[in-house]
Amino acid sequence: MLIKALNEYYDILARNDKVCKDGFSRQNITHMIMLRKDGTVSDIINVEQESEPDRKGKTKLQPISVVLPRRIDARGIASNIIEHRGRYIFGLIYDKDNDVYTTNNDTDNVNQSHEVFVEKNLEFTESMQSDIVIAYRNFMLNWNPSEEVNNEYLLNIKKYFDKSRFIFALEGHPEIKLHDMDGEISNKIAELQKESCTLQGNDICSITGEKGKFSDIHNVVNGNKKVVCAKNSAEWSYGKTKSSNSSIIEPTMKRYTDALSILMADKKHNIYLDDMMVVFWAMSDDDSKETDLFASMLGFDDKIDADEMNGILLKSLNDVNQGKSPDLTELNIDKNVEFYIVGFTTNISRLAQKFIYRDKFGNIFSHIARHQSDMMIINSKGNIPMWLIFQELRPPKNKDYKTPPPLMASVFGAIINGTRYPESLLENAVRRVKTDKSVNYVRVGIIKACINRKDRYSKNKEEIKMALDIENNNQAYLCGRLLAVAEKIQRESNKEKKLNRTIKDTYFSSACANPAKVFPNIIKLQQYHLEKIKKNGENGVQHAVRYSKIVSEIMDKINYEFPKTLPLDEQGKFIVGFYHQEQDFYKKKETK
């Protein structure tokens, strides 16, 4: 499904001039080398452009995107037609320790890199007569790396040399560039590409029936990757080895690899969650509205104002609750357009597809709106971003912890398809609360969403509401409320000093799992703290009476008998009860 979808998306990109012609690819360029006709360098100009201002109004320089002959994907020393890497072009590297350029390096083989560059590009440009190509050839013939270690133009960029990428232009005519798409080099590349299309072989592409060679994916964080890989000999057949066993070949391979490379390079179409890249797109000529809305709904981006986003979600939820499909006409979005979400992780040799989801955008939108509704809890701050959900599942002292890809994939599946959340999500959220003693709106929102959605799909009545529910008689929920009351009473009785350890710090984990074991002690401490509050005059007595009333109401519903143990779901309800009661104590009083 993925390759077929990318192949179709390539047609959309080609229709809108967003993909390069065969034999070419886009590269990020930082500097332009100005050449005299005799091949000497007259200047090296920074061509980076200022980015759009960020939230703080700050901008930064970013490379420009330039179409060059397709880069060679090979390990070791391999030069390109119109090389863009400084090590190959100049035959130099920058020694940071000694603050000098040098040609001596045992590991980088700088001299060999420059020789390969010169040999390949001289051969390719032979018999070409344009001024810029002549200047380029003279540069390669006359440039002597060992004599250029103090070149004034290179000294100006020495700190950025390793990350700099170059193009060539003619002195006095910056518009005449070596890579010009109407120039001799581009014309020759196009001719060679036509010749290479006449390929021999018996392999038939399962998508289009065409023949060709395998191609790599670009713009992946840990290098160039393959999607298809048959590594073990047991997976080979008909005399073919490794990736040759894939029936997806040129030109189809180029189409889907180019489409995926473009999606991975465009920040509007992908995000990173730990080690996973999530790529998303709509099958339309301009999918910016769909991708912006999708990213904003899941908290990947903030291109849509938070208040506007909340308004969109509330209106959509109202439609969903009435059994209607959300109306997206005001947003100028076709709710029937096909939308794809794909998750990738990388290893040494290939991309690993962890999930792929496809549906009409309207359905996906409805399911995400329902997800955000399920996650809402009192004092939650708008829609909860995906990255924040996974962040709250991390052990706080383990900085290297990465969310397991299977958990990410299953959570995405539940959100996009509107199905039950994985049990492991609830397990992780409950474990983090019990271990860290941190009961925040994100973790409680996760727990509420997991339990309510499980009840919904089991056709049971949903128990958990957004805020304190005094009608909820669930024993675990009541125990959580009771612990929050005990905590509040303790703090009220010790207003004058800072507590090093509270009832929550001491008993939370045990009370959550085995209430009957610890609540007798909590009740004793609670009575002690109530007596202390009563000693604070008439105001203290009023507070004590108020707390005692809440405790009595809860104890009556429990029948003064605590559960011995609580299973996972009940532990979740305990945590929600604690959070609801705690937030209720601190809510602002309504104006009469």
Side-chain angles (χ1 to χ4, degrees):
M1 180 170 72
L2 172 63
I3 294 176
K4 183 176 183 296
L6 290 171
N7 194 55
E8 292 172 359
Y9 190 62
Y10 181 91
D11 291 334
I12 295 174
L13 294 172
R15 190 162 61 237
N16 292 277
D17 296 324
K18 293 181 179 179
V19 289
C20 302
K21 295 179 181 178
D22 289 350
F24 298 87
S25 63
R26 286 193 172 275
Q27 301 297 322
N28 291 328
I29 300 299
T30 59
H31 292 81
M32 184 161 64
I33 303 168
M34 307 302 297
L35 295 178
R36 301 184 181 95
K37 198 168 182 179
D38 62 4
T40 55
V41 177
S42 64
D43 201 358
I44 298 179
I45 303 171
N46 190 324
V47 293
E48 292 177 297
Q49 297 178 346
E50 278 196 357
S51 65
E52 294 182 2
D54 59 16
R55 298 177 188 176
K56 297 181 180 179
K58 295 182 179 179
T59 61
K60 60 181 180 180
L61 290 177
Q62 292 183 330
I64 61 172
S65 179
V66 174
V67 176
L68 296 177
R70 183 178 286 276
R71 304 293 88 179
I72 291 176
D73 298 318
R75 294 181 180 179
I77 297 174
S79 186
N80 299 293
I81 302 302
I82 308 184
E83 186 55 69
H84 67 307
R85 293 167 292 183
R87 179 166 65 100
Y88 283 84
I89 295 172
F90 300 109
L92 299 169
I93 61 168
Y94 175 59
D95 183 351
K96 294 180 181 179
D97 296 333
N98 298 308
D99 192 29
V100 295
Y101 282 105
T102 178
T103 61
N104 300 318
N105 187 279
D106 296 332
T107 57
D108 279 353
N109 296 318
V110 179
N111 293 329
Q112 189 179 351
S113 299
H114 182 68
E115 290 169 4
V116 168
F117 154 68
V118 171
E119 180 182 355
K120 182 169 186 173
N121 282 266
L122 282 176
E123 179 184 355
F124 183 84
T125 57
E126 189 176 1
S127 75
M128 295 185 184
Q129 298 299 320
S130 64
D131 289 345
I132 183 61
V133 175
I134 290 172
Y136 184 52
R137 288 179 60 82
N138 287 335
F139 167 79
M140 292 185 286
L141 290 168
N142 300 323
W143 180 270
N144 187 336
S146 60
E147 295 178 358
E148 301 289 348
V149 292
N150 292 315
N151 183 286
E152 60 176 310
Y153 305 114
L154 289 177
L155 290 175
N156 290 334
I157 62 169
K158 59 185 179 180
K159 292 182 180 179
Y160 316 103
F161 183 77
D162 291 341
K163 295 183 179 180
S164 296
R165 296 294 181 264
F166 303 86
I167 54 175
F168 294 85
L170 197 62
E171 181 194 31
H173 298 278
E175 74 281 0
I176 302 177
K177 299 179 177 63
L178 185 64
H179 64 273
D180 185 359
M181 292 303 291
D182 295 324
E184 289 180 307
I185 287 179
S186 294
N187 291 336
K188 187 170 181 179
I189 291 285
E191 289 175 9
L192 292 175
Q193 192 64 28
K194 288 181 181 178
E195 293 175 9
S196 69
C197 287
T198 308
L199 301 172
Q200 302 297 320
N202 299 317
D203 297 327
I204 304 299
C205 175
S206 61
I207 303 297
T208 64
E210 298 186 34
K211 303 176 183 180
K213 299 177 182 179
F214 200 87
S215 183
D216 284 342
I217 305 293
H218 303 278
N219 302 310
V220 182
V221 164
N222 293 318
N224 297 326
K225 307 290 179 183
K226 292 177 171 61
V227 173
V228 179
C229 180
K231 186 176 182 181
N232 303 314
S233 57
E235 298 161 348
W236 304 344
S237 60
Y238 296 100
K240 301 181 180 67
T241 62
K242 298 182 179 179
S243 57
S244 298
N245 283 270
S246 167
S247 60
I248 310 299
I249 47 182
E250 288 250 18
T252 307
M253 285 181 181
K254 178 189 178 301
R255 291 162 62 86
Y256 89 76
T257 53
D258 279 4
L260 186 53
S261 296
I262 288 171
L263 289 169
M264 288 181 162
D266 187 356
K267 298 301 182 186
K268 293 183 178 180
H269 286 91
N270 67 77
I271 56 96
Y272 270 95
L273 290 172
D274 287 344
D275 288 336
M276 181 180 287
M277 175 186 261
V278 180
V279 181
F280 44 91
W281 72 94
M283 286 294 188
S284 65
D285 287 345
D286 182 7
D287 63 354
S288 58
K289 291 184 182 297
E290 288 86 356
T291 54
D292 285 353
L293 183 56
F294 174 80
S296 295
M297 288 179 74
L298 290 178
F300 298 151
D301 207 332
D302 58 356
K303 290 190 176 180
I304 298 179
D305 180 74
D307 290 337
E308 182 184 353
M309 189 70 251
N310 286 335
I312 292 171
L313 282 172
L314 289 172
K315 184 178 182 300
S316 302
L317 274 173
N318 186 49
D319 291 338
V320 171
N321 290 333
Q322 294 179 30
K324 298 187 299 184
S325 177
D327 185 4
L328 302 177
T329 51
E330 290 184 9
L331 301 174
N332 197 24
I333 289 176
D334 178 9
K335 64 182 180 181
N336 292 316
V337 68
E338 273 195 344
F339 198 83
Y340 288 81
I341 307 107
V342 190
F344 294 104
T345 58
T346 62
N347 57 30
I348 295 174
S349 61
R350 67 187 181 97
L351 282 173
Q353 177 190 310
K354 293 301 180 181
F355 62 81
I356 178 169
Y357 301 113
R358 177 192 67 182
D359 203 344
K360 293 179 180 179
F361 186 77
N363 293 338
I364 292 175
F365 181 87
S366 298
H367 294 151
I368 297 177
R370 172 58 68 187
H371 156 73
Q372 292 294 358
S373 173
D374 288 342
M375 291 286 291
M376 284 181 186
I377 197 81
I378 184 173
N379 287 340
S380 58
K381 302 166 184 176
N383 57 330
I384 298 178
M386 286 289 291
W387 62 265
L388 189 55
I389 292 175
F390 294 125
Q391 178 177 287
E392 287 297 335
L393 303 180
R394 296 177 183 174
K397 295 182 180 179
N398 187 350
K399 295 181 180 179
D400 298 325
Y401 176 83
K402 303 292 183 183
T403 306
L407 175 59
M408 280 193 186
S410 55
V411 171
F412 261 101
I415 294 171
I416 301 304
N417 295 322
T419 54
R420 279 178 53 170
Y421 296 102
E423 195 74 5
S424 55
L425 180 63
L426 178 60
E427 290 173 0
N428 276 275
V430 169
R431 183 187 306 118
R432 288 271 54 86
V433 172
K434 289 169 64 178
T435 304
D436 306 339
K437 311 297 189 299
S438 175
V439 190
N440 59 47
Y441 75 91
V442 180
R443 290 174 175 176
V444 179
I446 293 171
I447 293 168
K448 167 184 173 282
C450 288
I451 295 174
N452 276 355
R453 190 166 286 198
K454 184 185 293 187
D455 287 340
R456 189 184 308 147
Y457 280 90
S458 302
K459 296 184 179 179
N460 297 326
K461 183 179 178 181
E462 294 178 12
E463 286 192 52
I464 303 177
K465 297 182 180 178
M466 278 191 60
L468 180 64
D469 180 13
I470 60 175
E471 302 299 325
N472 191 328
N473 293 328
N474 177 272
Q475 300 292 288
Y477 184 84
L478 291 168
C479 287
R481 286 185 59 195
L482 190 60
L483 183 65
V485 177
E487 166 94 350
K488 175 63 174 174
I489 292 171
Q490 182 190 29
R491 291 189 180 279
E492 192 77 19
S493 67
N494 290 275
K495 279 186 174 181
E496 305 301 323
K497 61 179 181 179
K498 184 178 180 181
L499 296 172
N500 294 325
R501 192 169 181 81
T502 67
I503 286 176
K504 182 180 81 169
D505 298 330
T506 306
Y507 293 107
F508 192 93
S509 183
S510 299
C512 187
N514 309 103
K517 186 177 180 180
V518 297
F519 264 103
N521 290 335
I522 294 173
I523 296 298
K524 290 178 182 177
L525 288 171
Q526 184 176 268
Q527 293 302 320
Y528 167 74
H529 293 133
L530 279 171
E531 292 301 323
K532 284 184 67 176
I533 294 174
K534 289 178 182 178
K535 296 177 181 179
N536 294 331
E538 185 178 345
N539 194 41
V541 172
Q542 290 177 353
H543 281 196
V545 170
R546 177 193 169 207
Y547 295 135
S548 296
K549 183 180 178 182
I550 298 173
V551 171
S552 297
E553 289 174 353
I554 295 173
M555 293 295 289
D556 285 342
K557 291 181 179 181
I558 294 177
N559 293 324
Y560 294 85
E561 189 174 328
F562 298 100
K564 290 183 179 180
T565 59
L566 295 178
L568 181 64
D569 284 14
E570 298 301 298
Q571 290 182 35
K573 294 171 186 176
F574 177 98
I575 293 168
V576 177
F578 178 91
Y579 179 81
H580 277 173
Q581 186 66 66
E582 183 182 53
Q583 296 302 312
D584 189 70
F585 282 135
Y586 295 103
K587 73 178 181 181
K588 294 180 180 179
K589 293 182 179 179
E590 295 181 3
T591 304
K592 292 185 179 179

